[in-house]
Amino acid sequence: MKRFWPFRRKVSARTESVSLPPMAEAAPSDMTRLLRLEDEEVSAIEAARGRLVVIGMVLVIAFSALAVRAFGLAIAGDAGPAIVAEAEDLRRGDLVDRTGQVLATTLETYSLFADPTQVWDAAETAAALATVLPDVNEARLRDDLASRRRFVWIQRNLTPRQRQAVFALGLPGLDFRIEPRRVYPRGRLAAHVVGYTDRDMDGLAGAERAFNAALDSGDGRPVPLSIDMGVQFHVDEVLRLTMAEYRALAAVGVVMNVRTGEIVSLVSLPDFDANRPASARPDERLNRATQSVYEMGSTFKAFTVALALETGIASPGETFDARGSLRVGGHTINDFHAENRRLTLEEVFTHSSNIGSSLIALEAGADAQRDMLTRLRLMERSPIELAESAEPLLPRQWGPAEIATISYGHGIAVSPIMVASAFAAIANGGVYVQPTLQPVRPGETVAGERVMDAAVAQSVLDMMRQVVEDGTGRRAEAPGYRVAGKTGTAEKPGRGGYDRNRLISSFSAVFPYDDPQYVVLVMLDEPHGTAATYNYATGGWTAAPAAGEIISRIAPMLGVERHGEAGSNSELLRAALSPSAESLPEFTQ
């Protein structure tokens, strides 16, 4: 038994060194010390816990801040322009026509991006995406995906079908972001009027640019335009058919309310799909109605005759010698359809005599001619809201040759909208009203400026009616609407002078003659004659019939009664001719 004692003593010693006396056996002084030790231990633990909670909260805040910053850098660091649309952008208002049809609206679309660090094989991914996104540049995308950036745009504003096709590929490292996109349900119809925006929803052209502030006001309310899409549809259709028939390079159509200045229709051909402006040619995006200037030919004779009446140079019935030709400043002026006789003031206008018009302007002088054109706003850009409004091209000097040629629309280049507005002033009793794309409320008074004596304006309008009844504009007559108008044919300038084989042919119409309400201007750029026109491509043969067809179609839609018809019949015709929503071009991807 002695051999086990050493082991027992060692165990006892170890127990005594690590164990506290039992509570029942401890002395009072030992009890106090034990309680004090326990209190200190608990306090230390609680303090440590508090410090750990504070440290944890600080770490959470710090790591949250780092995560937010890292996310922001991942999104914006390599993404180029800011892509997160603000609330105001999401509420960009719709553009609608005067009847409430939507011309431009905002939809949410999906945009595809990649995190190159998560892409397994850059070449394989780029090749696969190119099969479902044909607009993607495969080589450039491959280089982007092979980079070490965290964010790369692949393609924005995908169609639902494209998004599904990308999903089906099952490629890692790809994701989508929802972005707003401006869409144009009518596509090409009124594209030059409506315009388009950039990716950040800022207007770049047309009404999108002109009314950008109103569209981005933040209230989300639609912005109405004066355009009537039913009228626009028919003007567009007639112009396309006419342009094709005469193989013209371009065509323009304008319909304007003479009393309010409202532009009810504005067509410029060739045109473009407003949903894809980047894919259009520059000449397709060009708004020829406002942005291009042309020598408009004999339409200017309306202003020359007004000048004769206003200055007292001539009165109705007074004659001018239009025999032979006229030499002015080394230039010879001839009549296209020479009468070779003395012509009355009315005949100068009706038969469109260059010689008679030149004689009137030369007698009036440069100052009087400039004053008349200035009052009609033909010496400055059109005041329409569109930024695409061109300055006229004026002669460097205003000598006898310039006075003579300007009297019949050569030597000065203006936009079609400027000419339409000047004819609207004549139709409005000599009061000029600014052209506008903003609708006028019923009963609203529109302020205009008197630019011509009312009696003079009426006399010119009477002569315009004679042009349609007995002169060069007979093919513009629209039965029941008593059209008044003036033809215009101008040779286009080129190297070495004017080219008689390249014409600007036009017709400026007012209807109805008895109660003028609307101006219709049709212009064709380089039309070609046909067997039906005896190979003539002048305004009377090409533009005038188109104007008459347009008036026949749109007059009932505008509530203009046929001569002798009751209002109820007019309403029936309007309903019959107004295109339904189904017949108008729809937005398609």
Side-chain angles (χ1 to χ4, degrees), residues 233-273:
F233 175 83
H234 286 290
V235 175
D236 183 281
E237 185 173 67
V238 171
L239 283 184
R240 288 184 191 278
L241 294 173
T242 303
M243 187 175 163
E245 180 179 1
Y246 300 115
R247 294 173 289 130
L249 294 180
V252 167
V254 177
V255 179
M256 178 178 175
N257 187 312
V258 304
R259 298 167 185 170
T260 64
E262 294 168 289
I263 302 300
V264 182
S265 175
L266 190 149
V267 177
S268 175
L269 300 176
D271 57 4
F272 65 99
D273 185 345

Side-chain angles (χ1 to χ4, degrees), residues 140-204:
R140 182 181 302 171
L141 178 58
R142 182 175 60 250
D143 294 340
D144 288 341
L145 296 179
S147 69
R148 302 309 299 169
R149 289 184 288 171
R150 296 303 305 272
F151 186 95
V152 171
W153 275 125
I154 297 176
Q155 185 166 311
R156 301 172 79 169
N157 303 131
L158 273 65
T159 66
R161 182 174 299 177
Q162 288 174 325
R163 178 173 178 259
Q164 186 60 39
V166 172
F167 261 129
L169 294 176
L171 298 171
L174 306 181
D175 206 346
F176 297 89
R177 174 167 292 137
I178 296 177
E179 288 190 301
R181 180 189 179 188
R182 202 66 167 165
V183 296
Y184 305 93
R186 301 307 176 189
R188 293 179 175 273
L189 195 60
H192 291 98
V193 177
V194 177
Y196 49 89
T197 67
D198 60 14
R199 292 190 183 277
D200 296 321
M201 308 288 282
D202 289 323
L204 296 181

